[in-house]
Amino acid sequence: SRDLAETKGDLGPVAEIVNTIHRDFAKPLRIEQLVAQSGYSWSQLERKVRNIIGLSPRGLLTKTRVEQAANLLIHTDKPLALI
């Protein structure tokens, strides 16, 4: 279908954004950087990531950070202030 074809073409840039978020979540990553990296406008990137991932880029970044923090709290003895 047309929707599937559009989604397949979007996987490259969206996959790059997802990889960047998972790799650089601990850095002061800004959504504007992701927009520039993707080559899409803000609204295009938001729509494409939401359609493929189910979250906005900001939502995915927040979710990744929270999951990583929870993982560190569970599996390390690091104090909360360091996490």
Side-chain angles (χ1 to χ4, degrees):
S1 79
R2 182 172 164 258
D3 291 339
L4 182 57
E6 286 178 7
T7 300
K8 283 184 181 178
D10 293 339
L11 289 179
V14 171
E16 288 179 29
I17 296 305
V18 171
N19 288 337
T20 298
I21 288 172
H22 285 149
R23 182 186 64 238
D24 299 337
F25 69 89
K27 297 178 182 176
L29 190 59
R30 302 199 31 95
I31 301 304
E32 291 83 3
Q33 292 171 291
L34 300 177
V35 169
Q37 177 184 338
S38 72
Y40 295 130
S41 70
W42 182 289
S43 59
Q44 286 175 315
L45 180 62
E46 173 97 11
R47 184 175 61 252
K48 291 174 186 298
V49 172
R50 190 178 297 276
N51 285 341
I52 295 169
I53 304 296
L55 296 167
S56 68
R58 187 175 313 280
L60 180 59
L61 179 58
T62 300
K63 180 178 186 253
T64 302
R65 287 175 171 166
V66 168
E67 287 174 347
Q68 292 299 322
N71 187 44
L72 289 173
L73 287 170
I74 292 168
H75 298 291
T76 69
D77 292 330
K78 289 185 178 183
L80 182 59
L82 292 179
I83 295 175

Coordinates of all heavy atoms in Angstrom, one line a residue:
S1 N 0.8 -1.2 0.0 CA 0.0 0.0 0.0 C 0.9 1.3 0.0 O 2.1 1.2 0.3 CB -0.9 0.0 1.2 OG -0.3 0.4 2.4
R2 N 0.3 2.4 -0.3 CA 1.0 3.6 -0.3 C 1.6 4.0 1.0 O 2.7 4.4 1.1 CB 0.1 4.7 -0.8 CG 0.7 6.1 -0.9 CD -0.2 7.1 -1.6 NE 0.3 8.4 -1.3 CZ -0.2 9.2 -0.4 NH1 -1.2 8.9 0.3 NH2 0.4 10.4 -0.2
D3 N 0.8 3.7 2.1 CA 1.3 4.0 3.5 C 2.5 3.2 3.8 O 3.5 3.7 4.4 CB 0.2 3.8 4.5 CG -0.9 4.8 4.4 OD1 -0.7 5.9 3.8 OD2 -2.0 4.5 4.9
L4 N 2.5 1.9 3.4 CA 3.6 1.0 3.7 C 4.9 1.5 2.9 O 6.0 1.5 3.5 CB 3.3 -0.4 3.4 CG 4.3 -1.4 3.7 CD1 4.8 -1.4 5.1 CD2 3.9 -2.8 3.3
A5 N 4.7 1.8 1.7 CA 5.8 2.3 0.9 C 6.4 3.6 1.5 O 7.6 3.7 1.5 CB 5.3 2.5 -0.6
E6 N 5.6 4.5 1.9 CA 6.0 5.7 2.5 C 6.8 5.4 3.8 O 7.9 6.0 4.1 CB 4.9 6.7 2.9 CG 4.3 7.3 1.6 CD 3.1 8.2 1.9 OE1 2.9 8.4 3.1 OE2 2.5 8.7 1.0
T7 N 6.3 4.5 4.6 CA 7.0 4.1 5.8 C 8.3 3.5 5.6 O 9.3 3.8 6.2 CB 6.1 3.1 6.7 OG1 4.9 3.8 7.0 CG2 6.8 2.7 7.9
K8 N 8.4 2.6 4.6 CA 9.7 1.9 4.3 C 10.7 3.0 3.9 O 11.9 2.9 4.3 CB 9.5 0.9 3.1 CG 8.9 -0.4 3.6 CD 8.8 -1.3 2.4 CE 8.2 -2.6 2.9 NZ 8.1 -3.6 1.7
G9 N 10.3 4.0 3.1 CA 11.3 5.0 2.7 C 11.7 5.9 3.9 O 12.8 6.5 3.8
D10 N 10.9 5.9 4.9 CA 11.2 6.8 6.1 C 12.1 6.1 7.1 O 12.6 6.7 8.1 CB 9.9 7.2 6.8 CG 9.1 8.2 5.9 OD1 9.7 8.8 5.0 OD2 7.9 8.3 6.1
L11 N 12.3 4.8 7.0 CA 13.0 4.0 8.0 C 14.4 4.5 8.2 O 14.9 4.5 9.3 CB 12.9 2.5 7.8 CG 11.5 1.9 8.0 CD1 11.6 0.4 7.7 CD2 11.0 2.1 9.4
G12 N 15.1 4.8 7.1 CA 16.5 5.2 7.2 C 16.7 6.4 8.1 O 17.4 6.3 9.1
P13 N 16.1 7.6 7.8 CA 16.2 8.8 8.6 C 15.7 8.5 10.0 O 16.3 9.0 11.0 CB 15.5 9.9 7.9 CG 15.4 9.4 6.5 CD 15.4 7.9 6.5
V14 N 14.6 7.9 10.1 CA 14.0 7.6 11.5 C 14.9 6.7 12.3 O 15.1 6.9 13.4 CB 12.5 7.1 11.4 CG1 12.0 6.7 12.7 CG2 11.6 8.2 10.8
A15 N 15.4 5.6 11.6 CA 16.3 4.7 12.3 C 17.5 5.5 12.8 O 18.0 5.2 13.9 CB 16.7 3.6 11.4
E16 N 18.0 6.4 12.0 CA 19.2 7.2 12.4 C 18.9 8.0 13.6 O 19.7 8.1 14.6 CB 19.7 8.1 11.3 CG 20.3 7.4 10.1 CD 20.8 8.3 9.0 OE1 21.0 9.5 9.3 OE2 20.8 7.9 7.9
I17 N 17.7 8.6 13.7 CA 17.3 9.4 14.8 C 17.1 8.5 16.1 O 17.6 8.9 17.1 CB 15.9 10.1 14.5 CG1 16.1 11.1 13.4 CG2 15.4 10.8 15.8 CD1 17.2 12.1 13.6
V18 N 16.5 7.4 15.9 CA 16.4 6.4 17.0 C 17.7 6.0 17.5 O 18.0 6.0 18.8 CB 15.5 5.2 16.6 CG1 15.5 4.1 17.7 CG2 14.1 5.7 16.4
N19 N 18.6 5.7 16.6 CA 20.0 5.3 17.0 C 20.7 6.4 17.8 O 21.4 6.2 18.8 CB 20.8 4.8 15.8 CG 20.4 3.5 15.3 OD1 19.8 2.7 16.0 ND2 20.7 3.3 14.0
T20 N 20.6 7.6 17.3 CA 21.2 8.8 17.9 C 20.6 9.0 19.3 O 21.4 9.2 20.3 CB 20.9 10.1 17.1 OG1 21.5 9.9 15.8 CG2 21.5 11.3 17.8
I21 N 19.3 8.8 19.5 CA 18.7 8.9 20.8 C 19.2 7.9 21.8 O 19.6 8.1 22.9 CB 17.2 8.9 20.7 CG1 16.7 10.2 20.1 CG2 16.5 8.7 22.1 CD1 15.2 10.2 19.8
H22 N 19.3 6.6 21.3 CA 19.8 5.5 22.1 C 21.2 5.6 22.5 O 21.7 5.3 23.6 CB 19.5 4.2 21.5 CG 18.0 3.8 21.6 ND1 17.4 3.0 20.6 CD2 17.1 4.1 22.5 CE1 16.1 2.9 21.0 NE2 15.9 3.5 22.1
R23 N 22.0 6.2 21.6 CA 23.5 6.3 21.8 C 23.8 7.5 22.6 O 24.7 7.5 23.5 CB 24.2 6.4 20.4 CG 25.7 6.5 20.5 CD 26.3 6.8 19.1 NE 25.9 8.0 18.6 CZ 25.3 8.2 17.4 NH1 25.0 7.2 16.6 NH2 24.9 9.4 17.0
D24 N 23.1 8.6 22.4 CA 23.5 9.9 23.0 C 22.5 10.5 24.0 O 22.5 11.6 24.4 CB 23.6 11.0 21.9 CG 24.7 10.6 20.9 OD1 25.6 9.8 21.2 OD2 24.7 11.1 19.7
F25 N 21.6 9.6 24.6 CA 20.6 10.1 25.5 C 21.1 10.8 26.7 O 20.5 11.7 27.3 CB 19.7 8.9 26.0 CG 20.4 7.9 26.9 CD1 20.4 8.1 28.2 CD2 21.1 6.8 26.3 CE1 21.1 7.2 29.1 CE2 21.8 6.0 27.2 CZ 21.8 6.2 28.5
A26 N 22.4 10.4 27.1 CA 22.9 11.0 28.3 C 23.6 12.4 28.1 O 23.9 13.1 29.0 CB 24.0 10.1 29.0
K27 N 23.7 12.7 26.8 CA 24.2 14.0 26.4 C 23.1 15.1 26.4 O 21.9 14.7 26.4 CB 24.9 14.0 25.0 CG 26.1 13.0 25.0 CD 26.6 12.9 23.6 CE 27.8 12.0 23.5 NZ 28.3 11.8 22.1
P28 N 23.5 16.3 26.4 CA 22.4 17.4 26.3 C 21.9 17.4 24.9 O 22.1 18.4 24.1 CB 23.1 18.7 26.7 CG 24.6 18.4 26.4 CD 24.8 16.9 26.6
L29 N 21.2 16.4 24.5 CA 20.7 16.2 23.1 C 19.4 17.1 22.9 O 18.5 17.1 23.8 CB 20.3 14.8 22.9 CG 19.9 14.3 21.5 CD1 21.1 14.6 20.5 CD2 19.6 12.8 21.5
R30 N 19.4 17.9 21.9 CA 18.3 18.8 21.6 C 17.5 18.3 20.4 O 18.1 17.8 19.4 CB 18.8 20.2 21.4 CG 19.6 20.7 22.6 CD 19.7 22.1 22.8 NE 18.7 23.0 22.3 CZ 17.7 23.5 23.0 NH1 17.6 23.2 24.3 NH2 16.8 24.3 22.5
I31 N 16.2 18.4 20.4 CA 15.4 18.0 19.3 C 15.7 18.7 18.1 O 15.7 18.2 17.0 CB 13.9 18.1 19.7 CG1 13.5 17.3 21.0 CG2 13.0 17.7 18.5 CD1 13.8 15.9 20.9
E32 N 16.1 20.0 18.2 CA 16.5 20.7 17.0 C 17.7 20.1 16.3 O 17.8 20.1 15.1 CB 16.9 22.2 17.4 CG 15.8 23.0 17.9 CD 15.4 22.8 19.3 OE1 16.1 22.1 20.0 OE2 14.4 23.4 19.8
Q33 N 18.6 19.4 17.0 CA 19.7 18.7 16.4 C 19.2 17.5 15.6 O 19.7 17.2 14.6 CB 20.7 18.2 17.5 CG 21.4 19.2 18.3 CD 22.2 18.6 19.4 OE1 21.6 18.2 20.4 NE2 23.5 18.6 19.3
L34 N 18.2 16.8 16.2 CA 17.6 15.7 15.5 C 16.9 16.1 14.2 O 17.0 15.4 13.2 CB 16.6 14.9 16.4 CG 17.2 14.4 17.7 CD1 16.2 13.7 18.6 CD2 18.4 13.4 17.4
V35 N 16.2 17.2 14.3 CA 15.5 17.8 13.1 C 16.6 18.1 12.0 O 16.4 17.6 10.8 CB 14.7 19.0 13.4 CG1 14.2 19.7 12.2 CG2 13.6 18.7 14.4
A36 N 17.7 18.7 12.4 CA 18.7 19.0 11.4 C 19.3 17.8 10.8 O 19.6 17.6 9.6 CB 19.8 19.9 12.0
Q37 N 19.6 16.8 11.7 CA 20.2 15.5 11.3 C 19.3 14.8 10.3 O 19.7 14.2 9.4 CB 20.4 14.6 12.5 CG 21.0 13.3 12.2 CD 21.1 12.4 13.4 OE1 21.2 12.9 14.5 NE2 21.1 11.1 13.2
S38 N 18.0 14.8 10.5 CA 17.0 14.1 9.7 C 16.8 14.6 8.3 O 16.5 13.9 7.4 CB 15.7 14.0 10.4 OG 15.0 15.2 10.4
G39 N 16.9 16.0 8.2 CA 16.6 16.6 6.9 C 15.1 16.9 6.8 O 14.7 17.4 5.7
Y40 N 14.3 16.6 7.8 CA 12.9 16.9 7.8 C 12.7 18.2 8.5 O 13.5 18.7 9.3 CB 12.1 15.8 8.5 CG 12.2 14.4 7.9 CD1 12.5 13.3 8.6 CD2 11.8 14.3 6.5 CE1 12.5 12.0 8.0 CE2 11.9 13.0 5.9 CZ 12.2 11.9 6.7 OH 12.2 10.7 6.1
S41 N 11.5 18.7 8.3 CA 11.0 19.9 9.2 C 10.6 19.3 10.5 O 10.5 18.0 10.7 CB 9.8 20.6 8.5 OG 8.7 19.7 8.6
W42 N 10.5 20.2 11.5 CA 10.1 19.7 12.8 C 8.8 18.9 12.8 O 8.7 17.8 13.3 CB 9.9 21.0 13.7 CG 9.5 20.7 15.1 CD1 8.3 20.2 15.6 CD2 10.3 20.9 16.3 NE1 8.4 20.0 17.0 CE2 9.6 20.5 17.4 CE3 11.6 21.3 16.5 CZ2 10.1 20.5 18.7 CZ3 12.1 21.4 17.7 CH2 11.3 21.0 18.8
S43 N 7.8 19.4 12.1 CA 6.5 18.7 12.1 C 6.6 17.4 11.3 O 6.0 16.4 11.7 CB 5.4 19.6 11.5 OG 5.7 20.0 10.2
Q44 N 7.4 17.3 10.2 CA 7.6 16.1 9.5 C 8.2 15.0 10.3 O 7.8 13.9 10.4 CB 8.4 16.3 8.2 CG 7.7 17.0 7.1 CD 8.7 17.3 6.0 OE1 9.8 17.7 6.2 NE2 8.3 17.1 4.7
L45 N 9.3 15.4 11.0 CA 10.0 14.5 11.9 C 9.1 14.0 13.0 O 9.0 12.7 13.2 CB 11.3 15.1 12.5 CG 12.1 14.1 13.4 CD1 12.6 12.9 12.6 CD2 13.2 14.9 14.1
E46 N 8.4 14.8 13.6 CA 7.4 14.5 14.7 C 6.4 13.4 14.1 O 6.2 12.4 14.8 CB 6.7 15.7 15.2 CG 5.6 15.5 16.1 CD 6.0 15.6 17.6 OE1 7.1 16.1 17.8 OE2 5.2 15.2 18.4
R47 N 5.8 13.7 13.0 CA 4.8 12.8 12.4 C 5.4 11.5 12.0 O 4.9 10.4 12.3 CB 4.2 13.5 11.2 CG 3.0 12.7 10.6 CD 2.3 13.5 9.5 NE 3.2 13.7 8.4 CZ 3.7 14.9 8.1 NH1 3.3 16.0 8.8 NH2 4.5 15.1 7.1
K48 N 6.6 11.5 11.4 CA 7.2 10.2 10.9 C 7.6 9.4 12.1 O 7.4 8.2 12.1 CB 8.3 10.5 10.0 CG 7.9 11.1 8.6 CD 9.0 11.5 7.8 CE 8.6 12.2 6.5 NZ 7.7 11.5 5.6
V49 N 8.3 9.9 13.1 CA 8.7 9.2 14.2 C 7.5 8.6 15.0 O 7.4 7.5 15.4 CB 9.6 10.0 15.2 CG1 9.9 9.2 16.4 CG2 10.9 10.3 14.4
R50 N 6.5 9.4 15.2 CA 5.3 9.0 15.9 C 4.6 7.9 15.1 O 4.1 6.9 15.7 CB 4.3 10.2 16.1 CG 3.2 9.8 17.0 CD 2.2 11.0 17.3 NE 2.9 12.1 17.9 CZ 3.0 12.2 19.2 NH1 2.6 11.3 20.0 NH2 3.6 13.3 19.8
N51 N 4.5 8.0 13.8 CA 3.9 6.9 13.0 C 4.6 5.6 13.1 O 4.0 4.5 13.1 CB 3.7 7.3 11.5 CG 2.6 8.4 11.3 OD1 1.7 8.5 12.2 ND2 2.7 9.1 10.2
I52 N 5.9 5.6 13.1 CA 6.7 4.4 13.1 C 7.0 3.9 14.5 O 6.9 2.7 14.8 CB 8.1 4.7 12.4 CG1 7.8 5.0 10.9 CG2 9.0 3.5 12.5 CD1 9.0 5.5 10.1
I53 N 7.3 4.8 15.5 CA 7.7 4.4 16.8 C 6.5 4.4 17.8 O 6.5 3.7 18.8 CB 8.9 5.3 17.4 CG1 10.0 5.3 16.4 CG2 9.3 4.9 18.8 CD1 10.7 3.9 16.3
G54 N 5.6 5.3 17.6 CA 4.5 5.4 18.5 C 4.7 6.5 19.5 O 3.8 6.7 20.4
L55 N 5.8 7.2 19.4 CA 6.1 8.3 20.3 C 6.7 9.5 19.5 O 7.3 9.2 18.5 CB 7.2 7.9 21.4 CG 6.8 6.8 22.4 CD1 8.0 6.3 23.1 CD2 5.8 7.4 23.4
S56 N 6.6 10.7 20.1 CA 7.3 11.8 19.4 C 8.8 11.6 19.7 O 9.2 10.9 20.6 CB 6.8 13.1 20.0 OG 7.2 13.2 21.4
P57 N 9.7 12.4 19.0 CA 11.1 12.3 19.3 C 11.4 12.7 20.7 O 12.2 12.0 21.4 CB 11.7 13.3 18.3 CG 10.8 13.3 17.1 CD 9.4 13.2 17.7
R58 N 10.8 13.7 21.2 CA 11.0 14.1 22.6 C 10.5 13.1 23.6 O 11.1 12.8 24.6 CB 10.2 15.5 22.9 CG 10.5 16.0 24.3 CD 9.9 17.4 24.5 NE 10.1 18.3 23.4 CZ 11.2 19.1 23.2 NH1 12.2 18.9 24.0 NH2 11.2 19.9 22.2
G59 N 9.3 12.4 23.3 CA 8.8 11.4 24.1 C 9.8 10.2 24.1 O 10.0 9.5 25.1
L60 N 10.3 9.8 22.9 CA 11.3 8.7 22.9 C 12.6 9.0 23.7 O 13.1 8.2 24.4 CB 11.6 8.4 21.4 CG 12.6 7.3 21.2 CD1 12.1 6.0 21.8 CD2 12.9 7.1 19.7
L61 N 13.0 10.3 23.6 CA 14.2 10.7 24.3 C 13.9 10.6 25.8 O 14.7 10.0 26.6 CB 14.6 12.1 23.9 CG 15.8 12.7 24.7 CD1 17.1 11.8 24.5 CD2 16.1 14.1 24.2
T62 N 12.8 11.1 26.3 CA 12.4 11.0 27.7 C 12.3 9.6 28.2 O 12.8 9.2 29.2 CB 11.1 11.8 27.9 OG1 11.3 13.2 27.5 CG2 10.7 11.7 29.4
K63 N 11.6 8.8 27.4 CA 11.4 7.4 27.7 C 12.8 6.6 27.8 O 13.0 5.9 28.8 CB 10.5 6.7 26.7 CG 10.3 5.2 26.9 CD 9.4 4.6 25.9 CE 9.0 3.2 26.2 NZ 9.7 2.2 25.4
T64 N 13.7 6.9 26.9 CA 15.0 6.3 26.9 C 15.7 6.7 28.2 O 16.4 5.8 28.8 CB 15.8 6.6 25.6 OG1 15.0 6.2 24.5 CG2 17.1 6.0 25.6
R65 N 15.7 8.0 28.5 CA 16.4 8.4 29.7 C 15.9 7.8 31.0 O 16.6 7.4 31.8 CB 16.4 10.0 29.7 CG 17.3 10.6 28.7 CD 17.1 12.1 28.7 NE 18.1 12.7 27.9 CZ 18.1 14.0 27.4 NH1 17.1 14.8 27.7 NH2 19.1 14.4 26.6
V66 N 14.5 7.8 31.1 CA 13.9 7.2 32.3 C 14.2 5.7 32.4 O 14.6 5.2 33.5 CB 12.4 7.5 32.3 CG1 11.7 6.7 33.3 CG2 12.1 9.0 32.4
E67 N 14.1 5.0 31.3 CA 14.4 3.6 31.3 C 15.9 3.3 31.7 O 16.2 2.4 32.5 CB 14.2 2.9 29.9 CG 12.7 2.8 29.7 CD 12.4 2.3 28.3 OE1 13.3 2.2 27.4 OE2 11.2 1.9 28.0
Q68 N 16.8 4.1 31.2 CA 18.2 3.9 31.5 C 18.5 4.3 33.0 O 19.3 3.6 33.7 CB 19.1 4.8 30.6 CG 19.1 4.3 29.2 CD 19.6 2.9 29.0 OE1 20.6 2.5 29.7 NE2 19.0 2.1 28.1
A69 N 17.8 5.3 33.5 CA 18.0 5.7 34.9 C 17.4 4.6 35.8 O 18.1 4.2 36.8 CB 17.3 7.0 35.2
A70 N 16.3 4.0 35.4 CA 15.7 2.9 36.2 C 16.6 1.7 36.2 O 16.8 1.1 37.2 CB 14.3 2.6 35.7
N71 N 17.2 1.4 35.0 CA 18.1 0.3 34.9 C 19.3 0.5 35.8 O 19.8 -0.4 36.5 CB 18.6 0.1 33.5 CG 19.4 -1.1 33.3 OD1 19.0 -2.2 33.8 ND2 20.4 -1.0 32.5
L72 N 19.9 1.7 35.9 CA 21.0 2.0 36.8 C 20.6 1.9 38.2 O 21.4 1.4 39.0 CB 21.6 3.4 36.4 CG 22.3 3.5 35.1 CD1 22.7 5.0 34.9 CD2 23.6 2.6 35.1
L73 N 19.4 2.3 38.6 CA 19.0 2.3 40.0 C 18.8 0.8 40.4 O 19.2 0.5 41.5 CB 17.7 3.0 40.1 CG 17.7 4.5 40.1 CD1 16.3 5.1 40.1 CD2 18.5 5.0 41.3
I74 N 18.3 0.0 39.5 CA 18.1 -1.4 39.8 C 19.4 -2.2 39.9 O 19.6 -3.1 40.8 CB 17.1 -2.1 38.8 CG1 15.7 -1.4 39.0 CG2 17.0 -3.6 39.0 CD1 14.8 -1.8 37.9
H75 N 20.3 -2.0 38.9 CA 21.4 -2.9 38.7 C 22.8 -2.3 39.2 O 23.8 -3.0 39.0 CB 21.5 -3.3 37.2 CG 20.3 -4.0 36.8 ND1 20.0 -5.3 37.2 CD2 19.3 -3.6 35.9 CE1 18.9 -5.7 36.6 NE2 18.4 -4.7 35.8
T76 N 22.8 -1.1 39.8 CA 24.0 -0.6 40.3 C 23.9 -0.1 41.7 O 22.7 0.1 42.1 CB 24.6 0.5 39.4 OG1 23.8 1.7 39.5 CG2 24.7 0.1 37.9
D77 N 24.9 0.2 42.3 CA 24.9 0.9 43.6 C 25.1 2.4 43.6 O 25.4 3.0 44.6 CB 26.0 0.2 44.5 CG 25.7 -1.2 44.9 OD1 24.5 -1.6 44.9 OD2 26.6 -2.0 45.0
K78 N 25.0 2.9 42.4 CA 25.3 4.4 42.2 C 24.2 5.1 43.0 O 23.0 4.8 43.0 CB 25.2 4.8 40.7 CG 26.3 4.3 39.9 CD 26.2 4.9 38.5 CE 27.4 4.4 37.7 NZ 27.4 5.0 36.3
P79 N 24.6 6.2 43.6 CA 23.6 7.0 44.3 C 22.7 7.8 43.3 O 23.2 8.1 42.2 CB 24.5 8.0 45.1 CG 25.9 7.9 44.7 CD 26.0 6.7 43.8
L80 N 21.6 8.1 43.8 CA 20.6 8.7 42.9 C 21.1 10.0 42.3 O 20.9 10.4 41.2 CB 19.3 9.0 43.7 CG 18.2 9.6 42.9 CD1 17.7 8.8 41.8 CD2 17.0 9.9 43.9
A81 N 21.9 10.7 43.1 CA 22.4 12.0 42.7 C 23.4 11.9 41.5 O 23.5 12.8 40.7 CB 23.2 12.7 43.8
L82 N 24.0 10.7 41.3 CA 24.9 10.5 40.2 C 24.1 10.0 38.9 O 24.6 10.0 37.8 CB 26.0 9.5 40.5 CG 27.0 10.0 41.5 CD1 28.0 8.9 41.8 CD2 27.7 11.2 41.0
I83 N 22.9 9.5 39.2 CA 22.1 8.9 38.1 C 21.3 10.0 37.5 O 21.3 10.2 36.3 CB 21.3 7.7 38.5 CG1 22.1 6.6 39.0 CG2 20.3 7.3 37.5 CD1 21.4 5.4 39.6

